[in-house]
Amino acid sequence: MTKDEVVYSYGDKDKTPSVYKSPYRLLIIMALSIFIIEAFVMIFLSLLPPLPLWIVVLIDSALLIVLLSPTLYFFLFHPLVMHITERKRTEDRLRLFRSLIDRSNDAIFVDDPQTGRILDVNDKACTSLGYAREELLNMQVFDIEAVLPDDFSWKEHVNEVTRKGYVVMEGRHRRRDGTTFPVEVNVSYTVIGKNSYTVAVARDITERKRAEEALRRAYDELEIRVRERTAELTKTNESLKAEITERKRAEEKLRRTTYDLGERIKELNCLYAISNLEKQDISLEDMLKRTVELIPPAYQYPEITCARVIFENKEFRTSNFKKTIWNQRSDIIVSSEHVGYLEVCYLEERPKSDEGPFLKEERDLINAITERLGKTIERKRWTAELARSNAELEQFAYVASHDLQEPLRMISGFTQLLERRYKGKLDRSADEFIAYIVDGATRMQRMIEDLLAYSRVGTRGKPFEPTNIEAAFDQAVANLKVIIEENNAFVTHDPLPAIMADPTQIIQLFQNLISNGIKFRREEPPHVHVSARRKENEWVFSVKDNGIGIAPEFFGRLFQLFQRQYTKSEYPGTGIGLAICKRIVERHGGRIWAESEAGRGSTFYFTIPVRNFQQ
């Protein structure tokens, strides 16, 4: 069977040209034409002279043959010619159609719906399956279609196509080498004449499947990533929610802490202000009056807070004090003795949300205040007692030293007179005894003078005034001119400031420290150097010498009365000089100390606070 024969085998061979579909109309037209022509010929012959009959018959026969020959040709030969022409045209169209089919990128199959036999294929079907055309025409559909493996499945498929008229399906075509590939098949059911066919157009969708698979993998991967990201976001969201919750909790805690801290700061400010009152030179009654006024601002509701102190039957109260049921009280104890109490009241009831009538911190505050008041009252009592005792002691020392000087002068004077008059006239023991009496009286007089000077530091001191320290230094050096020259000493200084001080006592301070540096000398000439430097709110002065130094065990007693490291025979003196220095420095609000190494000299330091014009 050739290609054309295959095409014609499912075409209609008996097509009749449309011109022959109405022959009766054509016969009527031709009969009328012959009748009219014959009538014209008979009229024409009648106009001629009479002719023999046989000539007339001959002319009429010839005319009839001429008139009937086109009709005979039209009805006998022309249909055959037209049929051949139409057949050639059809063959040309079929060849064109066949060419178009073979050039299609899709495989085309024409199948027998009854048997599944392949009736025709295009070139694409052959190349895609690897079979020759003749091989495919001897095969059935389920030989190449893996989705329709047997006759039963083919019948079901045909029934679906017949019912629907058109089916699109995905199949898997099997190549000659046994491999398969995916195809999309468009199957239609066609009836031509008495024959029925299924026409399948199959397109290789391998690339599309790969793309779909890649897309599916990408989608799966994307979905996995989306799930992972969603899980991460969910976790982050939960973490963020937890963080927000924790932050809110922390903010609330910080708010409460800040509020509590503010309250504690108010309480500390109250205690600090009370502590400052203790440092001021005011009476106990004034301190208690001011303390009462400091209490309400330290409480949570200062506008409704009032307070009072009862001390030794005296009352110190705020201007708005009124005793209410919302109160707290704490006793003031001095040396285990109840001397009064502090009472704090609210003028109206506090909000119900607060704990108790007073917060725990407020209860602690009133206890702290009364404890501090008790210690302050005790300290002021002791201070007052100590001041009184010191005043009495100083008065006693002054009176004693002043009144003792006259008898000592008499003893010393008469003893010296006795020594001058009877020296050498009595025995040696008498001379020694007289010398002892004179020496003891002299030393006693010096001690009384030094003790008098010590007592006068606190009682005879002058008010502080601007003092040029260099001028005070020069005066002290001038006072020591004799001792400096006798010992070939060098006394130098750095630039020294002006301070608020008692100039007389500052001269005495430098004089005592410089004379000590010269007195406790080594064999080499003494050298004493004075310097000063400012450190924050005080001046630090130093007096450095190159003397014999101070033994470490003597540092604890260095500034005490009548304390000596060496005997009077080695180094003369009463042992009061450094005690006077310490008292002068303390009167000026400073400190004094020494640094020394035995055999390598000493450095005495003292501080004077910066006051008034120096600031």
Side-chain angles (χ1 to χ4, degrees):
M1 181 181 293
T2 65
K3 183 191 296 184
D4 292 340
E5 289 172 339
V6 172
V7 173
Y8 298 148
S9 65
Y10 51 84
D12 189 0
K13 299 179 181 180
D14 300 325
K15 275 191 175 182
T16 302
S18 59
V19 71
Y20 299 107
K21 289 184 179 180
S22 302
Y24 298 106
R25 191 191 326 171
L26 182 60
L27 287 175
I28 293 172
I29 292 172
M30 293 184 67
L32 290 174
S33 300
I34 293 172
F35 178 76
I36 293 170
I37 293 172
E38 186 68 24
F40 277 110
V41 171
M42 293 302 294
I43 293 172
F44 176 73
L45 289 177
S46 64
L47 295 178
L48 294 177
L51 296 175
L53 181 59
W54 62 272
I55 293 176
V56 175
V57 172
L58 181 63
I59 292 172
D60 191 39
S61 299
L63 180 60
L64 184 59
I65 290 171
V66 171
L67 292 173
L68 291 176
S69 59
T71 302
L72 292 173
Y73 171 77
F74 188 81
F75 281 99
L76 295 179
F77 297 103
H78 185 69
L80 181 59
V81 172
M82 293 299 293
H83 180 72
I84 293 172
T85 302
E86 186 65 25
R87 182 181 178 88
K88 288 183 177 181
R89 291 177 181 173
T90 300
E91 289 176 353
D92 290 340
R93 287 196 296 270
L94 289 175
R95 278 194 293 274
L96 176 61
F97 180 68
R98 186 72 205 191
S99 177
L100 293 174
I101 290 177
D102 285 338
R103 284 171 172 76
S104 173
N105 288 328
D106 297 329
I108 300 176
F109 301 85
V110 179
D111 308 316
D112 184 350
Q114 301 300 322
T115 63
R117 180 171 170 267
I118 300 174
L119 300 178
D120 194 10
V121 293
N122 65 348
D123 290 345
K124 180 65 177 179
C126 297
T127 56
S128 62
L129 295 173
Y131 289 102
R133 181 183 180 80
E134 290 74 13
E135 291 177 308
L136 286 173
L137 296 181
N138 290 322
M139 298 173 68
Q140 291 178 300
V141 173
F142 35 82
D143 292 330
I144 63 168
E145 178 55 73
V147 177
L148 304 173
D150 51 33
D151 184 64
F152 178 76
S153 58
W154 168 253
K155 293 296 184 183
E156 288 186 344
H157 172 66
V158 170
N159 291 336
E160 182 182 7
V161 174
T162 303
R163 185 174 68 255
K164 295 181 179 180
Y166 184 85
V167 172
V168 178
M169 60 173 285
E170 285 191 6
R172 294 196 67 83
H173 281 185
R174 187 181 297 107
R175 297 188 182 94
R176 185 186 189 93
D177 60 6
T179 60
T180 61
F181 61 95
V183 291
E184 182 181 75
V185 185
N186 294 278
V187 185
S188 61
Y189 183 79
T190 304
V191 177
I192 302 177
K194 297 181 180 180
N195 300 320
S196 59
Y197 307 94
T198 56
V199 179
V201 179
R203 175 170 294 177
D204 187 349
I205 58 173
T206 300
E207 293 303 322
R208 192 178 80 184
K209 284 293 184 181
R210 288 176 182 169
E212 289 177 353
E213 179 62 22
L215 183 62
R216 185 190 62 78
R217 288 197 300 270
Y219 176 79
D220 292 343
E221 184 177 355
L222 179 61
E223 188 176 4
I224 292 173
R225 290 184 179 180
V226 168
R227 285 199 298 268
E228 292 175 351
R229 186 58 180 164
T230 302
E232 291 176 1
L233 289 175
T234 302
K235 185 177 180 181
T236 303
N237 188 41
E238 292 175 355
S239 176
L240 184 60
K241 286 182 179 178
E243 183 178 351
I244 291 173
T245 303
E246 184 62 27
R247 180 171 296 179
K248 287 182 178 179
R249 188 181 299 113
E251 288 176 353
E252 178 61 22
K253 183 177 180 181
L254 179 62
R255 186 192 64 78
R256 292 197 303 268
T257 302
T258 303
Y259 178 79
D260 292 341
L261 182 60
E263 294 299 310
R264 301 299 81 73
I265 290 174
K266 292 197 301 183
E267 295 166 5
L268 290 175
N269 287 338
C270 175
L271 293 174
Y272 180 74
I274 294 174
S275 176
N276 284 337
L277 290 178
E278 298 171 3
K279 299 176 183 177
Q280 297 178 17
D281 187 15
I282 59 176
S283 66
L284 181 59
E285 291 187 357
D286 287 340
M287 191 196 77
L288 293 176
K289 290 178 182 178
R290 297 186 189 183
T291 299
V292 167
E293 297 297 333
L294 293 173
I295 293 175
Y299 274 68
Q300 190 176 12
Y301 303 101
E303 65 279 359
I304 62 171
T305 303
C306 58
R308 69 173 177 175
V309 171
I310 302 296
F311 174 68
E312 293 182 345
N313 298 322
K314 294 181 181 179
E315 183 182 47
F316 307 90
R317 59 163 64 188
T318 57
S319 59
N320 65 336
F321 181 80
K322 178 183 177 182
K323 188 172 179 61
T324 66
I325 59 173
W326 308 289
N327 65 83
Q328 63 175 169
R329 172 176 164 172
S330 180
D331 293 333
I332 301 174
I333 306 297
V334 177
S335 301
S336 302
E337 178 187 357
H338 179 274
V339 296
Y341 61 87
L342 168 62
E343 186 176 25
V344 178
C345 299
Y346 278 129
L347 299 177
E348 59 186 59
E349 188 175 5
R350 291 176 52 198
K352 297 295 185 182
S353 59
D354 293 339
E355 55 173 291
F358 290 91
L359 296 177
K360 177 182 180 299
E361 291 79 9
E362 294 172 340
R363 294 194 294 273
D364 293 341
L365 175 62
I366 191 172
N367 292 331
I369 293 174
T370 54
E371 182 180 356
R372 182 174 291 273
L373 286 177
K375 292 180 179 179
T376 301
I377 293 170
E378 184 177 12
R379 185 163 52 252
K380 282 188 173 292
R381 283 181 174 179
W382 279 108
T383 301
E385 181 65 22
L386 183 62
R388 185 188 62 77
S389 176
N390 287 339
E392 291 178 355
L393 181 61
E394 288 177 358
Q395 184 64 26
F396 170 78
Y398 175 77
V399 170
S401 60
H402 184 272
D403 292 345
L404 285 175
Q405 293 218 36
E406 185 61 29
L408 279 175
R409 274 195 296 268
M410 290 179 64
I411 295 172
S412 177
F414 282 107
T415 305
Q416 289 175 2
L417 179 61
L418 184 63
E419 182 182 22
R420 285 194 303 268
R421 179 173 297 182
Y422 295 103
K423 186 175 183 180
K425 295 180 180 181
L426 302 175
D427 59 10
R428 174 178 287 182
S429 297
D431 292 339
E432 289 180 0
F433 295 154
I434 292 172
Y436 288 151
I437 295 171
V438 172
D439 181 64
T442 302
R443 286 191 295 110
M444 177 66 72
Q445 188 171 6
R446 288 179 184 173
M447 290 181 66
I448 291 174
E449 289 174 352
D450 288 344
L451 185 60
L452 184 60
Y454 180 81
S455 66
R456 284 175 176 174
V457 171
T459 59
R460 300 294 180 90
K462 296 179 180 178
F464 294 164
E465 61 183 63
T467 302
N468 189 327
I469 299 300
E470 288 198 13
F473 171 82
D474 292 339
Q475 184 62 50
V477 171
N479 295 341
L480 297 172
K481 182 178 179 180
V482 175
I483 190 175
I484 292 174
E485 291 177 351
E486 288 178 351
N487 290 275
N488 296 321
F490 297 93
V491 181
T492 58
H493 70 89
D494 290 338
L496 300 175
I499 63 174
M500 291 294 293
D502 181 341
T504 302
Q505 291 185 349
I506 294 297
I507 293 172
Q508 186 178 4
L509 174 62
F510 277 117
Q511 187 171 317
N512 287 0
L513 293 176
I514 293 172
S515 64
N516 272 3
I518 295 173
K519 180 169 63 174
F520 296 98
R521 55 173 293 184
R522 293 185 292 176
E523 293 182 1
E524 61 186 67
H527 182 201
V528 179
H529 182 76
V530 177
S531 63
R533 61 184 176 88
R534 181 164 177 170
K535 183 179 180 182
E536 297 178 355
N537 292 324
E538 63 183 10
W539 285 101
V540 180
F541 295 88
S542 64
V543 180
K544 183 177 181 181
D545 63 60
N546 63 343
I548 60 176
I550 303 170
E553 62 272 12
F554 192 68
F555 272 101
R557 297 177 288 126
L558 190 60
F559 297 100
Q560 295 179 9
L561 285 170
F562 307 117
Q563 296 299 315
R564 299 174 53 88
Q565 182 178 353
Y566 303 98
T567 64
K568 65 178 184 299
S569 60
E570 295 176 304
Y571 296 98
T574 60
I576 299 180
L578 289 179
I580 293 174
C581 292
K582 181 174 185 292
R583 190 156 191 193
I584 290 173
V585 171
E586 289 179 345
R587 178 174 181 257
H588 284 76
R591 299 167 289 117
I592 187 169
W593 70 96
E595 293 178 0
S596 179
E597 186 175 348
R600 302 189 64 176
S602 304
T603 302
F604 284 83
Y605 297 93
F606 64 89
T607 64
I608 302 294
V610 176
R611 293 186 179 91
N612 296 337
F613 78 98
Q614 296 172 267
Q615 297 177 349

